[in-house]
Amino acid sequence: MIDAFYIFTKGGLLLWSTQLVKVKGNPLDRLIKEVLLEERVGETFATLDVYNLKWKLLNDMDLFFVVVYQGILQMAYLEGLLSMAAKEFSHHIATSFGGGLNIKHVDFEKDFLRCRQKADKELKESRKPGGMRSFEDTKKGADVQKNREEKGLPAPAKKGKSGGTDGDKEEDDEEEDAAVAEARAKLAGGKSKAKKDAEAPKPKKGKEARHWDGGKVSKSLMEELDFSKNKPDEADLAAKQAEFLGSGDEEDFEAEVESLSSGSDAEEEKKDDGRVGGLFKSLTKGVKNITGGAVLTEGDLEPILKKFKTELMTRNVAAEVADKLSDSVRKSLVGKTTGRFTSMASTVKQALKESMETLLTPKKSIDVLRAALAAKNAGRVYTIVFLGVNGVGKSTNLAKVAYYLKHKGGLDVLICACDTFRAGAVEQLKTHSRCLDVPLFERGYGKDPADIAKNAIAHAKSNGHDVVLVDTAGRMQDNEPLMRALAKLVAINSPDLVLFVGEALVGNDAIDQVSKFNRSLVDLSADPRNPRGIDGMLLTKYDTVDDKVGAALSMVYVTGQPVVFVGTGQKYTHLRKMQAKEVVKTLLG
Amino acid sequence: METIRQASGSIESFLGVGSSTALVLTWLVILLSVYITVQIFQVASGGTLRTRRSRGNVTLMLGQCGAGKTATFFRLRDGEEVQTVSSLQLSRDKFPIKAGENADQNLPSVEVVDFPGHLRMRGKASDMLPEARCIIYLVDSEDKPKLKDVAEHFYELLTHPDMLELHTPILIACNKSDLGSARSEKFIVEEIEREIEQMRVSRGATLEGQDQADSYLGIDGEKFKLMEHSPCPIQTCKISAKKNEMQPLYDFLMEQYA
């Protein structure tokens, strides 16, 4: 069943954990760093390596509940277990929970065991309505229970843990037995059913009843062939009707239609009903919206988030990303209390702002010059590969980066022309190389770009160049053979930096482009255990988009990689680093 | 009022202007003198007043992920060992610190902030700098590759305008010193210095629109020395949150809050 269960606070305290099976690696740490910190809280489910993780967030206490398992488990079961554990836990600590800092370790073994048993039971019941004996009802179960009580039950800390696992083992055995029994029962059930089917009298058709045309038609035969009158008896019909018409009556159907058509009205009414004492409640809510101290609910957040979502979308954030981001924010806000004198809208805005800033802040160093200098000191050649779809400005921005490395870092740069496809590509780079006074490595058209790049790096090494910038041919993300060639180039040369060049102008297509490029690189990479994807992005034509800077957010969200540079004009000096705060400010208007 | 009238009378006779003009002039002179006094007062007391106001009263704990910030935080707070995961949110609390047996070795109440170290989060720590009275920077002594990130963070911190203005003292606490493979303080400082030196070149070459780290760290053409060239006092020490060897940390706090 499940492998491990963790309860921790946002502040970083592991309040309680149990490993029913030894967990390899540290899926929890990866979850926090790769999912929760990437503003993907909205999903509540992730797969990391062999483990599946599902989690629940209790906002009023800033608690996370995480269950780790392998293989496939019913979502309903996991959700049940999580919410049960959450309920038990908050009950458990309700009295002593002071802002989340007073509790450091909680003895939760006992309650968790109960939760698990309950969830297991529910699962079994849902699987087999016939009703298995529950664990406690079995003889062995009773024994185990008794045994456990005699042992005085798993106590805190290590000792308790070992005791717990013992108990669990027993329970696992029991579970296994139960599962086997269940399977047997199922099998047996299946068999008997099959038998029944076989035994059931079949309507006689076929050979015996064959009557050739042209023969005389007897009355009995006519009756037999007359299907119009025939028989599905009333009960059957009613059953069928019940099955296909839902609860049957046409009146109901009409009512349903009506309620559908006036769905929104009905909902509103319902909401009003929900607020007992209508006016007063809404009044206090209104006041609290101004003075703060209101508890946020899904209903409150929905319209506000919707507004922000459309705003983001008009600023070129891809719809999917806007959706997920607002989901994440909603999940992290439901149940929270607004601060003093802050309205709900401003609370939401603040949360959104913070999560976007976190997202856009690079999680690794994006100082290319420093990395190149370090490589130079180590006596290596630093290689950057530029890739992207057609016409986004790969060559132009490659030239800008060349200028930056050469003039600001004093590095010896070599440009490598691996666009052996588009007419004039090499000439374009030649022009840049003349203007920048940077040597160009080219082998004309029609050659294998991976080979050229390899030769260029070898050339750089023997001639004392520090940096090689590899320009590749633009390609559409769906063109498989070309993507394969690109993956080969990356795999053979293993560059220090793979830069995806993308336009700031794109909207929804941004996700598709960047994720497909990334996936092709990962899928076709040389070493499948340690796949190589995109390391960073270069956003071009940034000066043309005004406030529609959403592409930056979309691309960063999809890949999790930072925007290393932004191109802001036609000149070689028009290269900048992205300011997360500015972007967020622009996006939120 | 009587004196004002007298003064206006004397101005009237002295300058030979009408009585109403003289009155207006008198008032102007009075207002001007009041304004100048206020200004002088502000300038005189301003220097000390401003710094005291702007450097806060919080002990800020920074460092990389897994350096042991949360563990140290709870060590300080309760003297207990806790299990931790990567923090998603800062923890903030005000509590007395028991540095020793005697009452005079205890601090009545110190506000400590444990700030998440993940690179995505740590940028926001600079917003807290004005609030900080001192910074405890935790370093995992065992993790050499992370020192690159530490150096980068230091560069950002040391060139931050708030730091340049407030000179917030920093204690580099090399945590996990109980481990066999722990590096020495000297090694860590040298490693940070070397990394910063490399960074000076790349950071010095600012791209258009790059903020903060514009200013140059240290003296041009000279080897960078963390202790000498920083805008703020820096100390180092060796601690172990796990083994509860925290004395240098207490000493530092006593010194800062004395």
Coordinates of all heavy atoms in Angstrom, one line a residue, chain A residues 220-276:
Chain A
S220 N -47.7 -20.6 -35.5 CA -46.8 -20.5 -34.3 C -45.5 -19.8 -34.7 O -44.9 -19.0 -34.0 CB -46.5 -21.8 -33.7 OG -45.8 -22.6 -34.7
L221 N -45.1 -20.1 -35.9 CA -43.8 -19.6 -36.5 C -44.0 -18.1 -36.6 O -43.1 -17.3 -36.3 CB -43.5 -20.2 -37.8 CG -42.1 -20.1 -38.3 CD1 -41.2 -20.7 -37.3 CD2 -41.9 -20.7 -39.6
M222 N -45.1 -17.7 -37.2 CA -45.4 -16.3 -37.3 C -45.3 -15.5 -36.0 O -44.7 -14.5 -35.9 CB -46.8 -16.1 -38.0 CG -46.7 -15.9 -39.5 SD -48.3 -15.9 -40.2 CE -48.8 -14.2 -39.8
E223 N -45.9 -16.1 -35.0 CA -45.8 -15.5 -33.7 C -44.4 -15.3 -33.2 O -44.0 -14.3 -32.7 CB -46.6 -16.3 -32.7 CG -47.9 -15.6 -32.3 CD -48.8 -16.5 -31.6 OE1 -48.4 -17.2 -30.7 OE2 -50.0 -16.6 -32.1
E224 N -43.7 -16.4 -33.5 CA -42.3 -16.3 -33.0 C -41.5 -15.3 -33.7 O -40.6 -14.6 -33.2 CB -41.6 -17.7 -33.3 CG -40.4 -18.0 -32.5 CD -40.0 -19.4 -32.7 OE1 -40.8 -20.3 -32.4 OE2 -38.9 -19.6 -33.1
L225 N -41.8 -15.1 -35.0 CA -41.0 -14.1 -35.8 C -41.5 -12.7 -35.6 O -40.8 -11.7 -35.9 CB -41.1 -14.4 -37.3 CG -40.2 -15.6 -37.7 CD1 -40.6 -16.0 -39.1 CD2 -38.8 -15.3 -37.5
D226 N -42.7 -12.6 -35.1 CA -43.2 -11.2 -34.9 C -42.6 -10.6 -33.7 O -43.1 -10.7 -32.6 CB -44.8 -11.4 -34.8 CG -45.4 -10.0 -34.7 OD1 -44.6 -9.0 -34.8 OD2 -46.6 -9.9 -34.4
F227 N -41.6 -9.8 -33.9 CA -40.9 -9.1 -32.8 C -41.6 -7.9 -32.3 O -41.3 -7.3 -31.3 CB -39.5 -8.8 -33.2 CG -38.6 -10.0 -33.3 CD1 -38.3 -10.5 -34.5 CD2 -38.2 -10.6 -32.1 CE1 -37.5 -11.6 -34.6 CE2 -37.4 -11.7 -32.2 CZ -37.0 -12.2 -33.5
S228 N -42.5 -7.4 -33.2 CA -43.2 -6.1 -32.8 C -44.0 -6.3 -31.5 O -44.0 -5.3 -30.7 CB -44.1 -5.7 -33.9 OG -45.1 -6.6 -34.1
K229 N -44.6 -7.4 -31.4 CA -45.4 -7.6 -30.1 C -44.6 -8.0 -29.0 O -45.0 -7.9 -27.8 CB -46.5 -8.6 -30.3 CG -47.7 -8.1 -31.1 CD -48.7 -9.2 -31.2 CE -49.8 -8.9 -32.2 NZ -50.6 -10.1 -32.4
N230 N -43.4 -8.5 -29.4 CA -42.7 -9.3 -28.3 C -42.1 -8.5 -27.2 O -42.1 -7.3 -27.2 CB -41.6 -10.1 -29.0 CG -42.1 -11.5 -29.1 OD1 -43.1 -11.8 -28.5 ND2 -41.4 -12.3 -29.9
K231 N -41.5 -9.2 -26.4 CA -41.9 -9.4 -25.1 C -41.2 -8.6 -24.0 O -41.7 -8.7 -22.9 CB -41.6 -10.8 -24.6 CG -42.1 -11.8 -25.5 CD -41.3 -13.1 -25.5 CE -41.7 -13.9 -26.6 NZ -41.1 -15.1 -26.9
P232 N -40.1 -8.1 -24.2 CA -39.4 -7.6 -23.0 C -40.4 -7.1 -22.0 O -41.1 -6.1 -22.2 CB -38.6 -6.4 -23.5 CG -38.8 -6.3 -25.0 CD -39.6 -7.5 -25.4
D233 N -40.6 -7.9 -20.9 CA -41.8 -7.6 -20.1 C -41.6 -6.3 -19.3 O -40.5 -5.7 -19.2 CB -42.0 -8.8 -19.1 CG -40.7 -9.3 -18.5 OD1 -40.3 -8.7 -17.5 OD2 -40.1 -10.1 -19.2
E234 N -42.7 -5.9 -18.8 CA -42.8 -4.6 -18.2 C -41.7 -4.3 -17.2 O -41.1 -3.2 -17.3 CB -44.2 -4.4 -17.5 CG -45.3 -4.4 -18.5 CD -45.3 -3.3 -19.5 OE1 -45.3 -2.1 -19.0 OE2 -45.2 -3.5 -20.7
A235 N -41.4 -5.2 -16.4 CA -40.4 -5.0 -15.4 C -39.1 -4.7 -16.0 O -38.4 -3.7 -15.6 CB -40.3 -6.3 -14.5
D236 N -38.7 -5.5 -17.0 CA -37.5 -5.2 -17.7 C -37.4 -3.8 -18.3 O -36.4 -3.1 -18.1 CB -37.4 -6.2 -18.9 CG -36.2 -7.1 -18.7 OD1 -35.7 -7.1 -17.6 OD2 -35.8 -7.7 -19.7
L237 N -38.5 -3.5 -18.9 CA -38.6 -2.2 -19.5 C -38.4 -1.1 -18.5 O -37.6 -0.1 -18.7 CB -40.0 -2.0 -20.2 CG -40.1 -0.7 -21.0 CD1 -39.3 -0.8 -22.3 CD2 -41.6 -0.4 -21.3
A238 N -39.1 -1.2 -17.4 CA -39.0 -0.2 -16.3 C -37.5 -0.1 -15.9 O -37.0 1.0 -15.7 CB -39.9 -0.6 -15.2
A239 N -36.9 -1.3 -15.7 CA -35.5 -1.3 -15.3 C -34.6 -0.5 -16.3 O -33.8 0.3 -15.9 CB -35.0 -2.7 -15.1
K240 N -34.9 -0.8 -17.6 CA -34.1 -0.2 -18.6 C -34.3 1.3 -18.6 O -33.3 2.1 -18.7 CB -34.5 -0.7 -20.0 CG -33.8 -2.0 -20.4 CD -32.5 -1.7 -21.2 CE -31.5 -2.8 -21.2 NZ -32.0 -4.0 -21.8
Q241 N -35.6 1.6 -18.5 CA -35.9 3.1 -18.4 C -35.2 3.7 -17.3 O -34.6 4.8 -17.4 CB -37.4 3.3 -18.3 CG -38.1 3.3 -19.7 CD -39.6 3.4 -19.5 OE1 -40.1 3.2 -18.4 NE2 -40.2 3.7 -20.6
A242 N -35.3 3.0 -16.1 CA -34.7 3.6 -15.0 C -33.2 3.8 -15.2 O -32.6 4.8 -14.8 CB -34.9 2.7 -13.8
E243 N -32.6 2.8 -15.9 CA -31.2 2.9 -16.2 C -30.8 4.1 -17.1 O -29.9 4.8 -16.8 CB -30.7 1.6 -16.8 CG -29.2 1.5 -16.8 CD -28.8 0.2 -17.5 OE1 -29.6 -0.8 -17.5 OE2 -27.7 0.1 -18.0
F244 N -31.6 4.2 -18.1 CA -31.2 5.2 -19.1 C -31.8 6.6 -18.9 O -31.2 7.6 -19.4 CB -31.5 4.7 -20.5 CG -30.6 3.6 -20.9 CD1 -31.2 2.3 -21.1 CD2 -29.3 3.7 -21.0 CE1 -30.4 1.3 -21.5 CE2 -28.5 2.7 -21.4 CZ -29.0 1.4 -21.6
L245 N -32.9 6.6 -18.2 CA -33.5 7.9 -18.0 C -33.2 8.6 -16.7 O -33.7 9.6 -16.3 CB -35.0 7.8 -18.1 CG -35.6 7.5 -19.5 CD1 -37.1 7.3 -19.5 CD2 -35.2 8.7 -20.5
G246 N -32.3 7.9 -16.0 CA -32.0 8.4 -14.7 C -33.2 8.1 -13.8 O -33.7 6.9 -13.9
S247 N -33.7 9.0 -13.0 CA -34.8 8.7 -12.1 C -36.1 8.7 -12.8 O -37.2 8.7 -12.2 CB -34.8 9.6 -10.9 OG -34.7 10.9 -11.4
G248 N -36.1 8.6 -14.1 CA -37.3 8.2 -14.8 C -38.2 9.3 -15.3 O -38.2 9.6 -16.5
D249 N -39.0 9.9 -14.5 CA -40.1 10.7 -14.9 C -39.7 11.8 -15.8 O -38.7 12.5 -15.6 CB -40.8 11.3 -13.7 CG -41.6 10.2 -13.0 OD1 -41.6 9.0 -13.5 OD2 -42.0 10.5 -11.9
E250 N -40.6 12.1 -16.8 CA -40.3 13.1 -17.7 C -40.3 14.5 -17.0 O -39.7 15.4 -17.4 CB -41.2 13.1 -18.9 CG -40.7 12.2 -20.0 CD -41.6 12.0 -21.1 OE1 -42.2 13.0 -21.5 OE2 -41.7 10.9 -21.7
E251 N -41.2 14.6 -16.1 CA -41.3 15.8 -15.4 C -40.0 16.2 -14.8 O -39.5 17.3 -14.8 CB -42.4 15.7 -14.2 CG -43.8 15.8 -14.7 CD -44.8 15.4 -13.7 OE1 -44.6 15.8 -12.5 OE2 -45.7 14.7 -14.0
D252 N -39.4 15.2 -14.2 CA -38.1 15.4 -13.6 C -37.1 15.9 -14.6 O -36.3 16.9 -14.4 CB -37.5 14.1 -13.1 CG -37.7 14.0 -11.6 OD1 -38.5 14.8 -11.1 OD2 -37.2 13.1 -11.0
F253 N -37.2 15.3 -15.8 CA -36.3 15.7 -16.9 C -36.5 17.2 -17.2 O -35.5 17.9 -17.3 CB -36.6 14.9 -18.1 CG -35.8 15.2 -19.3 CD1 -34.4 15.1 -19.2 CD2 -36.3 15.6 -20.4 CE1 -33.6 15.3 -20.3 CE2 -35.5 15.8 -21.5 CZ -34.2 15.7 -21.4
E254 N -37.7 17.6 -17.3 CA -38.0 19.0 -17.6 C -37.4 19.9 -16.5 O -36.8 20.9 -16.8 CB -39.5 19.2 -17.7 CG -40.0 19.1 -19.1 CD -41.5 19.1 -19.1 OE1 -42.1 19.7 -18.2 OE2 -42.1 18.4 -20.0
A255 N -37.7 19.5 -15.3 CA -37.2 20.3 -14.2 C -35.6 20.4 -14.3 O -35.1 21.5 -14.1 CB -37.5 19.6 -12.9
E256 N -35.0 19.3 -14.7 CA -33.6 19.3 -14.8 C -33.1 20.3 -15.8 O -32.2 21.1 -15.6 CB -33.1 17.9 -15.2 CG -31.7 17.7 -14.7 CD -31.4 16.2 -14.9 OE1 -32.1 15.5 -15.5 OE2 -30.3 15.8 -14.3
V257 N -33.8 20.3 -17.0 CA -33.5 21.2 -18.0 C -33.6 22.6 -17.5 O -32.7 23.4 -17.7 CB -34.4 21.0 -19.2 CG1 -34.3 22.2 -20.2 CG2 -34.1 19.7 -19.9
E258 N -34.7 22.9 -16.8 CA -34.9 24.2 -16.3 C -33.8 24.6 -15.4 O -33.2 25.7 -15.5 CB -36.2 24.2 -15.6 CG -36.9 25.6 -15.5 CD -38.3 25.5 -15.0 OE1 -39.1 24.9 -15.7 OE2 -38.5 26.0 -13.9
S259 N -33.5 23.7 -14.5 CA -32.5 24.1 -13.5 C -31.1 24.3 -14.2 O -30.3 25.1 -13.8 CB -32.3 23.0 -12.5 OG -31.6 21.9 -13.0
L260 N -30.9 23.5 -15.3 CA -29.7 23.7 -16.1 C -29.7 25.1 -16.7 O -28.7 25.8 -16.6 CB -29.6 22.7 -17.2 CG -28.8 21.4 -16.8 CD1 -28.8 20.5 -18.0 CD2 -27.4 21.8 -16.4
S261 N -30.8 25.5 -17.3 CA -30.8 26.7 -18.0 C -30.7 27.9 -17.1 O -30.1 28.9 -17.4 CB -32.1 26.8 -18.8 OG -33.2 26.9 -17.9
S262 N -31.3 27.7 -15.9 CA -31.2 28.9 -15.0 C -30.1 28.6 -13.9 O -30.3 29.0 -12.8 CB -32.5 29.1 -14.3 OG -32.9 28.0 -13.6
G263 N -29.1 27.8 -14.3 CA -28.2 27.3 -13.3 C -27.5 28.4 -12.5 O -27.5 28.3 -11.3
S264 N -27.1 29.4 -13.2 CA -26.4 30.4 -12.5 C -27.3 31.1 -11.4 O -26.8 31.3 -10.3 CB -25.8 31.5 -13.5 OG -26.9 31.9 -14.3
D265 N -28.5 31.4 -11.8 CA -29.4 32.0 -10.9 C -29.6 31.1 -9.7 O -29.5 31.6 -8.5 CB -30.8 32.2 -11.5 CG -30.8 33.1 -12.7 OD1 -29.6 33.6 -13.0 OD2 -31.8 33.4 -13.3
A266 N -29.8 29.8 -10.0 CA -30.1 28.9 -8.8 C -28.9 28.9 -7.9 O -29.0 29.0 -6.7 CB -30.3 27.5 -9.4
E267 N -27.7 28.9 -8.5 CA -26.5 28.9 -7.7 C -26.5 30.1 -6.8 O -26.2 30.0 -5.6 CB -25.3 28.9 -8.6 CG -24.4 27.7 -8.3 CD -23.3 27.6 -9.3 OE1 -23.6 27.6 -10.5 OE2 -22.2 27.7 -9.0
E268 N -26.7 31.3 -7.4 CA -26.7 32.5 -6.6 C -27.7 32.4 -5.5 O -27.3 32.8 -4.3 CB -27.1 33.7 -7.5 CG -25.8 34.4 -8.0 CD -26.1 35.4 -9.1 OE1 -27.1 36.1 -9.0 OE2 -25.4 35.4 -10.1
E269 N -28.9 31.9 -5.8 CA -29.9 31.8 -4.7 C -29.3 31.0 -3.6 O -29.5 31.3 -2.5 CB -31.1 31.2 -5.3 CG -32.1 32.3 -5.9 CD -33.2 31.6 -6.6 OE1 -33.7 30.6 -6.2 OE2 -33.6 32.2 -7.7
K270 N -28.7 29.8 -4.1 CA -28.2 28.9 -3.1 C -27.2 29.6 -2.2 O -27.3 29.5 -1.0 CB -27.6 27.7 -3.8 CG -27.9 26.4 -3.1 CD -27.2 25.3 -3.8 CE -28.1 24.5 -4.7 NZ -27.4 23.6 -5.6
K271 N -26.4 30.4 -2.8 CA -25.4 31.1 -2.0 C -26.0 31.9 -1.0 O -25.7 32.0 0.2 CB -24.5 31.9 -3.0 CG -23.1 31.4 -3.0 CD -22.3 32.3 -3.9 CE -21.4 31.5 -4.8 NZ -20.8 32.3 -5.9
D272 N -27.1 32.6 -1.5 CA -27.8 33.5 -0.6 C -28.3 32.8 0.6 O -28.3 33.2 1.7 CB -28.8 34.3 -1.3 CG -28.2 35.5 -2.1 OD1 -27.0 35.8 -1.8 OD2 -28.9 36.1 -2.9
D273 N -28.9 31.6 0.2 CA -29.5 30.8 1.3 C -28.4 30.4 2.3 O -28.6 30.3 3.5 CB -30.1 29.5 0.7 CG -31.4 29.9 -0.1 OD1 -31.8 31.0 0.1 OD2 -31.8 29.0 -0.8
G274 N -27.2 30.1 1.7 CA -26.1 29.6 2.5 C -25.8 30.7 3.6 O -25.5 30.4 4.7
R275 N -25.8 31.9 3.2 CA -25.5 33.0 4.1 C -26.8 33.2 5.0 O -27.6 34.0 4.6 CB -25.2 34.3 3.4 CG -23.9 34.2 2.7 CD -23.7 35.5 2.0 NE -22.6 35.4 1.0 CZ -22.5 36.2 0.0 NH1 -23.4 37.2 -0.2 NH2 -21.5 36.1 -0.8
V276 N -26.8 32.4 6.1 CA -28.0 32.6 6.9 C -28.1 34.0 7.4 O -27.1 34.6 7.7 CB -27.8 31.6 8.1 CG1 -29.2 31.5 8.8 CG2 -27.4 30.3 7.6

